[in-house]
Amino acid sequence: MCEMLDRLGLDTEMLARGRLANDLRLAVRTCQSCDVDQVCQDWLARAPEWIEKAPTFCRNAELFACTCNLIYGGTSAIPK
């Protein structure tokens, strides 16, 4: 999960504090119980260093999108 967060431009330490901490805990539990972990690892092995959104198979995709939107105000975290 940390690798996915890094690629989305989300700082794990920042997410662990304040009101986003609950979202991070939920994301960790969701990731730990996911049954497509090998699909995720294979995807991460081929994915670019920076991504705008998590892949559709990711059970945390919506949560990550909402978090990115909250932090970045709807703009991409991908460096230009």
Side-chain angles (χ1 to χ4, degrees):
M1 190 183 88
C2 288
E3 189 172 348
M4 184 73 75
L5 291 173
D6 287 344
R7 290 177 190 222
L8 289 165
L10 296 171
D11 180 3
T12 309
E13 283 187 37
M14 182 188 70
L15 294 176
R17 289 183 253 128
R19 65 183 256 221
L20 294 176
N22 287 332
D23 289 345
L24 181 61
R25 282 191 289 277
L26 176 62
V28 168
R29 282 193 298 270
T30 300
C31 190
Q32 288 174 333
S33 66
C34 184
D35 60 352
V36 295
D37 56 327
Q38 189 59 52
V39 173
C40 184
Q41 290 302 316
D42 293 344
W43 184 88
L44 284 167
R46 297 184 317 275
E49 185 177 338
W50 297 97
I51 57 175
E52 288 189 34
K53 62 182 181 175
T56 56
F57 66 79
C58 179
R59 293 184 180 172
N60 282 315
E62 187 176 331
L63 177 63
F64 293 156
C66 290
T67 303
C68 285
N69 189 43
L70 179 67
I71 293 172
Y72 299 112
T75 62
S76 174
I78 297 176
K80 304 274 182 197

